[in-house]
Amino acid sequence: MENILEVRNALEITIAQLAAKCRTEEDLTAIRQALFQRQQNLSPIRENTQADVNFHMAIAQACHNGILLNLYLSISSYLEDHISKRQKATTMEPLQIDQLHEELYQSIVQQNDHQALLCVQNILKI
């Protein structure tokens, strides 16, 4: 589990920062839709995990770096397992986790790459 966390740290921080810089209005729409699906599926864990992965995939697409996107896609099965396990183990309330994801979305909307970095770091602490 530690290996995937290391990879997520390496990829997701860069992806979020690039998404904040490069996102388009279409990207924001896709991220917002994925976030909405995530918010609608706070439980059960299986549906929430898939919605969470879809949210992060939408951000990866918004970074507009095909190599990073392909790397992220290549670990998607590990992501689902990792996110599911962490959601089961966390003591954080689902609404708190949802708020962290909302803050990440807002940092991308505002094109604040530094805030996006901080948001991803907080999400990865779940």
mmCIF file of all heavy atoms in Angstrom, residues 1 45 49 78-90 126:
data_model
loop_
_atom_site.group_PDB
_atom_site.id
_atom_site.type_symbol
_atom_site.label_atom_id
_atom_site.label_comp_id
_atom_site.label_asym_id
_atom_site.label_seq_id
_atom_site.Cartn_x
_atom_site.Cartn_y
_atom_site.Cartn_z
ATOM 1 N N MET A 1 0.823 -1.191 0.000
ATOM 2 C CA MET A 1 0.000 0.000 0.000
ATOM 3 C C MET A 1 0.871 1.260 0.000
ATOM 4 O O MET A 1 0.488 2.274 -0.562
ATOM 5 C CB MET A 1 -0.931 -0.012 1.208
ATOM 6 C CG MET A 1 -2.019 1.012 1.107
ATOM 7 S SD MET A 1 -3.490 0.571 2.002
ATOM 8 C CE MET A 1 -3.619 1.926 3.121
ATOM 9 N N ILE A 45 -19.012 2.206 -0.236
ATOM 10 C CA ILE A 45 -17.622 2.467 -0.578
ATOM 11 C C ILE A 45 -17.304 2.126 -2.026
ATOM 12 O O ILE A 45 -16.582 2.851 -2.691
ATOM 13 C CB ILE A 45 -16.676 1.753 0.413
ATOM 14 C CG1 ILE A 45 -16.730 2.482 1.755
ATOM 15 C CG2 ILE A 45 -15.256 1.695 -0.109
ATOM 16 C CD1 ILE A 45 -15.889 1.901 2.843
ATOM 17 N N THR A 49 -15.682 4.799 -4.365
ATOM 18 C CA THR A 49 -14.321 4.597 -4.855
ATOM 19 C C THR A 49 -14.253 4.841 -6.353
ATOM 20 O O THR A 49 -13.362 5.555 -6.831
ATOM 21 C CB THR A 49 -13.829 3.169 -4.525
ATOM 22 O OG1 THR A 49 -13.800 3.012 -3.105
ATOM 23 C CG2 THR A 49 -12.452 2.916 -5.087
ATOM 24 N N TYR A 78 -4.709 -0.110 -9.318
ATOM 25 C CA TYR A 78 -4.097 0.074 -7.997
ATOM 26 C C TYR A 78 -4.788 1.209 -7.247
ATOM 27 O O TYR A 78 -4.963 1.145 -6.031
ATOM 28 C CB TYR A 78 -2.607 0.397 -8.124
ATOM 29 C CG TYR A 78 -1.780 -0.709 -8.713
ATOM 30 C CD1 TYR A 78 -1.320 -0.626 -10.019
ATOM 31 C CD2 TYR A 78 -1.443 -1.837 -7.966
ATOM 32 C CE1 TYR A 78 -0.551 -1.630 -10.580
ATOM 33 C CE2 TYR A 78 -0.674 -2.854 -8.520
ATOM 34 C CZ TYR A 78 -0.235 -2.747 -9.821
ATOM 35 O OH TYR A 78 0.520 -3.749 -10.364
ATOM 36 N N LEU A 79 -5.175 2.246 -7.982
ATOM 37 C CA LEU A 79 -5.856 3.386 -7.372
ATOM 38 C C LEU A 79 -7.151 2.957 -6.699
ATOM 39 O O LEU A 79 -7.416 3.337 -5.554
ATOM 40 C CB LEU A 79 -6.194 4.443 -8.427
ATOM 41 C CG LEU A 79 -5.084 5.302 -8.951
ATOM 42 C CD1 LEU A 79 -5.598 6.182 -10.084
ATOM 43 C CD2 LEU A 79 -4.485 6.142 -7.859
ATOM 44 N N GLU A 80 -7.956 2.191 -7.422
ATOM 45 C CA GLU A 80 -9.235 1.745 -6.859
ATOM 46 C C GLU A 80 -9.027 0.981 -5.567
ATOM 47 O O GLU A 80 -9.713 1.229 -4.575
ATOM 48 C CB GLU A 80 -9.991 0.888 -7.868
ATOM 49 C CG GLU A 80 -10.574 1.682 -9.000
ATOM 50 C CD GLU A 80 -11.435 0.837 -9.910
ATOM 51 O OE1 GLU A 80 -12.250 0.051 -9.393
ATOM 52 O OE2 GLU A 80 -11.284 0.975 -11.134
ATOM 53 N N ASP A 81 -8.093 0.063 -5.573
ATOM 54 C CA ASP A 81 -7.822 -0.737 -4.384
ATOM 55 C C ASP A 81 -7.312 0.144 -3.246
ATOM 56 O O ASP A 81 -7.762 0.023 -2.101
ATOM 57 C CB ASP A 81 -6.804 -1.834 -4.718
ATOM 58 C CG ASP A 81 -6.551 -2.759 -3.549
ATOM 59 O OD1 ASP A 81 -7.535 -3.340 -3.030
ATOM 60 O OD2 ASP A 81 -5.374 -2.896 -3.151
ATOM 61 N N HIS A 82 -6.398 1.037 -3.565
ATOM 62 C CA HIS A 82 -5.805 1.913 -2.549
ATOM 63 C C HIS A 82 -6.852 2.840 -1.941
ATOM 64 O O HIS A 82 -6.946 2.964 -0.722
ATOM 65 C CB HIS A 82 -4.663 2.724 -3.174
ATOM 66 C CG HIS A 82 -3.960 3.597 -2.209
ATOM 67 N ND1 HIS A 82 -4.136 4.952 -2.188
ATOM 68 C CD2 HIS A 82 -3.076 3.312 -1.222
ATOM 69 C CE1 HIS A 82 -3.395 5.465 -1.227
ATOM 70 N NE2 HIS A 82 -2.746 4.497 -0.628
ATOM 71 N N ILE A 83 -7.638 3.475 -2.780
ATOM 72 C CA ILE A 83 -8.665 4.398 -2.294
ATOM 73 C C ILE A 83 -9.690 3.657 -1.445
ATOM 74 O O ILE A 83 -10.083 4.127 -0.377
ATOM 75 C CB ILE A 83 -9.323 5.146 -3.469
ATOM 76 C CG1 ILE A 83 -8.311 6.125 -4.090
ATOM 77 C CG2 ILE A 83 -10.585 5.870 -3.026
ATOM 78 C CD1 ILE A 83 -8.748 6.729 -5.413
ATOM 79 N N SER A 84 -10.105 2.502 -1.888
ATOM 80 C CA SER A 84 -11.079 1.711 -1.140
ATOM 81 C C SER A 84 -10.554 1.357 0.255
ATOM 82 O O SER A 84 -11.255 1.521 1.255
ATOM 83 C CB SER A 84 -11.427 0.444 -1.915
ATOM 84 O OG SER A 84 -12.307 -0.357 -1.173
ATOM 85 N N LYS A 85 -9.331 0.882 0.313
ATOM 86 C CA LYS A 85 -8.745 0.515 1.612
ATOM 87 C C LYS A 85 -8.609 1.715 2.534
ATOM 88 O O LYS A 85 -8.887 1.629 3.731
ATOM 89 C CB LYS A 85 -7.383 -0.151 1.407
ATOM 90 C CG LYS A 85 -7.488 -1.559 0.883
ATOM 91 C CD LYS A 85 -6.125 -2.174 0.656
ATOM 92 C CE LYS A 85 -6.269 -3.590 0.086
ATOM 93 N NZ LYS A 85 -4.983 -4.169 -0.289
ATOM 94 N N ARG A 86 -8.197 2.834 1.973
ATOM 95 C CA ARG A 86 -8.023 4.034 2.800
ATOM 96 C C ARG A 86 -9.373 4.565 3.279
ATOM 97 O O ARG A 86 -9.481 5.046 4.400
ATOM 98 C CB ARG A 86 -7.226 5.076 2.045
ATOM 99 C CG ARG A 86 -5.775 4.570 1.877
ATOM 100 C CD ARG A 86 -4.872 5.578 1.332
ATOM 101 N NE ARG A 86 -4.752 6.740 2.170
ATOM 102 C CZ ARG A 86 -3.631 7.124 2.754
ATOM 103 N NH1 ARG A 86 -2.551 6.413 2.624
ATOM 104 N NH2 ARG A 86 -3.584 8.236 3.461
ATOM 105 N N GLN A 87 -10.400 4.471 2.443
ATOM 106 C CA GLN A 87 -11.716 4.930 2.865
ATOM 107 C C GLN A 87 -12.260 4.062 3.999
ATOM 108 O O GLN A 87 -12.917 4.566 4.908
ATOM 109 C CB GLN A 87 -12.687 4.941 1.696
ATOM 110 C CG GLN A 87 -12.446 6.079 0.743
ATOM 111 C CD GLN A 87 -13.420 6.086 -0.410
ATOM 112 O OE1 GLN A 87 -14.169 5.139 -0.614
ATOM 113 N NE2 GLN A 87 -13.407 7.145 -1.188
ATOM 114 N N LYS A 88 -11.997 2.779 3.922
ATOM 115 C CA LYS A 88 -12.457 1.875 4.979
ATOM 116 C C LYS A 88 -11.718 2.125 6.289
ATOM 117 O O LYS A 88 -12.288 1.958 7.362
ATOM 118 C CB LYS A 88 -12.264 0.420 4.559
ATOM 119 C CG LYS A 88 -13.215 -0.025 3.467
ATOM 120 C CD LYS A 88 -12.912 -1.435 3.018
ATOM 121 C CE LYS A 88 -13.768 -1.830 1.829
ATOM 122 N NZ LYS A 88 -13.384 -3.129 1.265
ATOM 123 N N ALA A 89 -10.457 2.548 6.206
ATOM 124 C CA ALA A 89 -9.620 2.693 7.391
ATOM 125 C C ALA A 89 -9.669 4.090 8.015
ATOM 126 O O ALA A 89 -9.307 4.255 9.178
ATOM 127 C CB ALA A 89 -8.169 2.352 7.043
ATOM 128 N N THR A 90 -10.145 5.068 7.276
ATOM 129 C CA THR A 90 -10.089 6.433 7.777
ATOM 130 C C THR A 90 -11.111 6.698 8.882
ATOM 131 O O THR A 90 -12.183 6.092 8.911
ATOM 132 C CB THR A 90 -10.282 7.465 6.642
ATOM 133 O OG1 THR A 90 -10.002 8.764 7.173
ATOM 134 C CG2 THR A 90 -11.692 7.424 6.080
ATOM 135 N N ILE A 126 -5.660 11.105 3.758
ATOM 136 C CA ILE A 126 -6.881 10.410 4.190
ATOM 137 C C ILE A 126 -6.536 8.978 4.530
ATOM 138 O O ILE A 126 -5.850 8.298 3.834
ATOM 139 C CB ILE A 126 -7.978 10.466 3.100
ATOM 140 C CG1 ILE A 126 -8.380 11.911 2.860
ATOM 141 C CG2 ILE A 126 -9.172 9.609 3.490
ATOM 142 C CD1 ILE A 126 -9.278 12.113 1.647
#
